[in-house]
Amino acid sequence: MDPYSTFDRARMAEREERFSEALLLFQACIADGECDEGEVLFHCGWCIEQGGQGATDQALHYYEQAAAQTRMPECKLNGFFRAGWLLMHKKEHVKAATMFRHAVDYAELSHHKSEIYNQSVFWYAVCLESQGRFIEAIRWYRLVRLHSPQLDPESRVRELAC
């Protein structure tokens, strides 16, 4: 008898970068219903994104579902962030900004201001800048500078560019 659950085996495959195998195991977890479905959906999106299969829309769908369904605050925050990240790389800056803003608002509401929060604020500002909303972007770059020494130099440069 296997001492590991399907979820444990999926996580092991994911850590070992066997993304196709991990994806199948995570999808089996959804049918089992024994795990937080949102967390499992997030991992499905991650496996697709990291697996290099070019299925960005499918990964995006998983991330959006994960953010909507999970009971885990970090997973919800990360689901919004990853969805924004994929949309931004598809040059869909308005939709990306919406996802990053959801991440920012959720982190503030739930008191989960982590590095994902800082990254979400920064990339939200980048999306605003790409839309020509420079004054708003500057305000968000300044917020990033207050909370993230790591992002401070790039925020200053982008603020000057605005």
Side-chain angles (χ1 to χ4, degrees):
M1 179 173 218
D2 189 352
Y4 298 104
S5 69
T6 304
F7 185 77
D8 291 336
R9 287 184 289 131
R11 289 296 310 254
M12 284 188 271
E14 182 183 43
R15 280 191 293 276
E16 294 170 2
E17 298 183 5
R18 293 179 287 133
F19 297 113
S20 295
E21 178 184 342
L23 177 61
L24 292 174
L25 290 167
F26 283 124
Q27 289 171 332
C29 289
I30 293 170
D32 292 347
E34 293 180 18
C35 302
D36 179 283
E37 188 171 343
E39 181 181 13
V40 174
L41 291 166
F42 178 84
H43 286 287
C44 287
W46 182 256
C47 288
I48 290 169
E49 184 181 357
Q50 299 308 305
Q53 301 165 355
T56 303
D57 289 338
Q58 189 178 10
L60 177 61
H61 180 70
Y62 276 122
Y63 289 143
E64 290 171 337
Q65 284 186 317
Q69 294 181 27
T70 188
R71 296 180 306 265
M72 302 170 63
E74 278 298 314
C75 185
K76 182 178 284 289
L77 183 59
N78 213 357
F80 285 135
F81 177 80
R82 295 306 311 166
W85 184 258
L86 291 178
L87 287 163
M88 186 179 66
H89 282 86
K90 289 175 65 172
K91 306 287 188 227
E92 295 183 31
H93 294 109
V94 173
K95 290 180 183 177
T98 299
M99 285 298 167
F100 289 132
R101 185 60 191 261
H102 285 323
V104 169
D105 291 344
Y106 179 76
E108 290 175 350
L109 182 67
S110 65
H111 306 288
H112 281 87
K113 290 187 178 180
S114 62
E115 186 54 32
I116 295 171
Y117 167 79
N118 294 332
Q119 291 287 332
S120 296
V121 172
F122 178 81
W123 292 107
Y124 177 64
V126 169
C127 288
L128 292 174
E129 180 183 343
S130 72
Q131 295 172 57
R133 297 166 60 184
F134 303 115
I135 303 299
E136 287 178 82
I138 289 170
R139 192 184 87 186
W140 289 96
Y141 287 132
R142 289 179 180 165
L143 179 63
V144 172
R145 290 177 33 213
L146 292 173
H147 295 285
S148 178
Q150 178 185 1
L151 292 170
D152 179 56
E154 183 65 21
S155 294
R156 287 177 187 270
V157 169
R158 296 201 74 112
E159 185 179 334
L160 288 172
C162 284

